[in-house]
């Protein structure tokens, strides 16, 4: 029997509220300009998880009164072809935001493809310009999952200043930006990765733990500091997170579930940033 003491950080509920607010903002953009905010989604290949995520994003757009335009490219697409397709969207005045679903095939230079997204349309926060702005604490679009994590922490009044934050994972669109956003809020941040020695001892120091490693149930409850805030940003097959929820919930004070935690916030932030992009591009 579980002796869970942790309270849940409910990403589904917060995402619902965020999407409702975004829908109201989108309606206002349409009312004032006659233009409906538009997100272009780009999917290369048919990876089932990616197909599902893009579908979820387009469905949420429809719910929020955001138009979406979908570009589907075969798995054989070259870097040059992908860059050309994204450049066309960057130049299209009817498109306010561009999402290239990650990952693309290993033969594609994903960085070059991301960099073809015009900075003002980078509502997924994946370009170097967006990353740099975030690193300097300047206005701009943040990578959606880290942005969603920060909104969750704020919604649950988690104090970050002076706290030890440990980020397990260092990917360009998740671990690295999550650490920078926490640093920007005066947390003392440690990154862990595959070469980290004695990972358990580092994780045990975390007041705030962000698990973004992409390995199912990788973090066990025995390594959670009693009272820690645990954010599970894992999205492994079968909707399994990176944290062993049952054992972690026995020690944490607050914890995100998978599903229903960080995932829905990723999409909510994408929609919010799409409308923000449209507002800026339309001069509102
Ligand atoms: N260009 C990008 N690519 C990817 C990103 C991203 O932010 N930008 N993130 C991930 C995956 N991802 C979105 O693309 C994503 C993963 C999971 C969820 C989600 O809501 N999951 C649900 C459960 C899923 C379900 O109900 O079937 C949950 O956790 O409750 C949303 C988005 C990779 N690529």
């Amino acid at each position: 029997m579980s002796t869970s003491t942790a309270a849940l950080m409910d990403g589904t509920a917060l995402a619902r509220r965020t999407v409702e607010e975004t829908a109201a903002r989108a309606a206002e953009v349409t009312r004032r300009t006659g233009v409906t905010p538009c997100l272009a989604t780009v999917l290369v290949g048919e990876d089932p998880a990616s197909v599902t995520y893009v579908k979820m994003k387009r469905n949420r757009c429809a719910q929020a009164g955001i138009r979406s335009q979908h570009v589907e490219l075969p798995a054989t697409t070259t870097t040059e072809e992908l860059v050309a397709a994204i450049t066309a969207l960057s130049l299209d005045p009817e498109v306010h935001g561009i999402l290239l679903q990650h990952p693309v095939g290993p033969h594609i230079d994903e960085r070059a493809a991301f960099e073809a997204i015009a900075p003002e349309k980078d509502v997924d926060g994946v370009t170097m310009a967006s990353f740099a702005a975030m690193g300097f604490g300047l206005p701009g679009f943040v990578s959606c999952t880290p942005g969603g994590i920060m909104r969750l922490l704020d919604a649950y009044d988690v104090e970050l200043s002076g706290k030890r934050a440990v980020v397990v994972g260092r990917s360009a669109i998740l671990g690295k930006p999550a650490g920078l956003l926490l640093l920007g809020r005066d947390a003392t941040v440690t990154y862990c990765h595959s070469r980290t020695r004695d990972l358990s001892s580092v994780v045990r120091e975390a007041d705030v733990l962000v698990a973004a490693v992409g390995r199912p149930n990788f973090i066990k409850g025995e390594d959670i500091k009693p009272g820690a805030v645990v954010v599970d940003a894992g999205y492994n097959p079968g909707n399994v997170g990176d944290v062993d929820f049952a054992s972690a919930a026995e020690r944490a004070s607050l914890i995100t579930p998978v599903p229903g935690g960080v995932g829905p916030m990723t999409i909510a932030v994408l929609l919010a940033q799409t409308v923000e992009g449209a507002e800026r591009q339309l001069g509102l």
Side-chain angles (χ1 to χ4, degrees):
M1 198 173 64
S2 165
T3 53
S4 168
T5 55
L8 281 189
M9 287 188 274
D10 185 344
T12 304
L14 182 60
R16 192 180 305 122
R17 290 200 296 277
T18 308
V19 172
E20 279 166 12
E21 285 162 20
T22 300
R25 274 173 65 185
E28 185 63 7
V29 171
T30 306
R31 188 188 69 78
R32 288 176 64 185
T33 65
V35 177
T36 299
C38 175
L39 174 71
T41 59
V42 181
L43 176 64
V44 182
E46 291 167 11
D47 170 67
S50 293
V51 169
T52 301
Y53 296 142
V54 170
K55 240 184 230 159
M56 287 164 64
K57 290 171 187 184
R58 301 187 73 217
N59 287 341
R60 283 281 178 283
C61 278
Q63 281 173 12
I66 296 171
R67 210 159 64 78
S68 66
Q69 183 174 314
H70 187 43
V71 177
E72 247 174 336
L73 297 167
T76 52
T77 301
T78 63
T79 299
E80 291 69 28
E81 288 165 340
L82 180 56
V83 165
I86 293 173
T87 302
L89 296 171
S90 287
L91 295 170
D92 183 343
E94 291 190 3
V95 168
H96 306 108
I98 301 171
L99 163 95
L100 169 61
Q101 186 63 29
H102 159 85
V104 293
H107 64 287
I108 294 176
D109 180 349
E110 187 176 79
R111 180 48 40 205
F114 279 148
E115 293 308 315
I117 299 173
E120 69 277 13
K121 298 187 181 184
D122 181 22
V123 294
D124 197 30
V126 293
T127 61
M128 290 193 279
S130 296
F131 189 86
M134 182 198 57
F136 284 105
L138 296 170
F141 298 119
V142 295
S143 184
C144 294
T145 304
I149 291 171
M150 299 309 287
R151 285 179 185 235
L152 267 168
L153 294 172
D154 286 342
Y156 284 86
D157 293 323
V158 175
E159 178 61 50
L160 295 170
S161 179
K163 295 293 167 70
R164 295 293 303 262
V166 173
V167 181
V168 185
R170 54 173 164 178
S171 68
I173 64 170
L174 180 41
K176 257 183 219 162
L180 279 177
L181 289 172
L182 291 163
L183 181 65
R185 300 286 292 277
D186 300 323
T188 302
V189 178
T190 304
Y191 286 99
C192 296
H193 44 77
S194 53
R195 300 281 172 90
T196 298
R197 292 193 192 145
D198 196 3
L199 178 81
S200 291
S201 71
V202 184
V203 171
R204 280 180 190 158
E205 290 183 0
D207 300 310
V208 178
L209 176 70
V210 176
V213 68
R215 294 174 67 174
N217 297 324
F218 181 67
I219 307 278
K220 308 289 183 201
E222 65 203 38
D223 289 338
I224 302 296
K225 180 175 175 177
V229 173
V230 175
V231 178
D232 188 348
Y235 53 94
N236 305 293
N239 277 339
V240 177
D242 289 352
V243 176
D244 178 47
F245 182 86
S247 61
E250 288 176 13
R251 294 171 72 121
S253 59
L254 272 174
I255 188 166
T256 57
V258 176
V262 169
M265 287 307 297
T266 297
I267 296 182
V269 170
L270 178 70
L271 268 54
Q273 295 194 143
T274 298
V275 174
E276 204 180 310
E279 287 168 348
R280 282 193 219 148
Q281 286 159 60
L282 295 166
L284 297 180

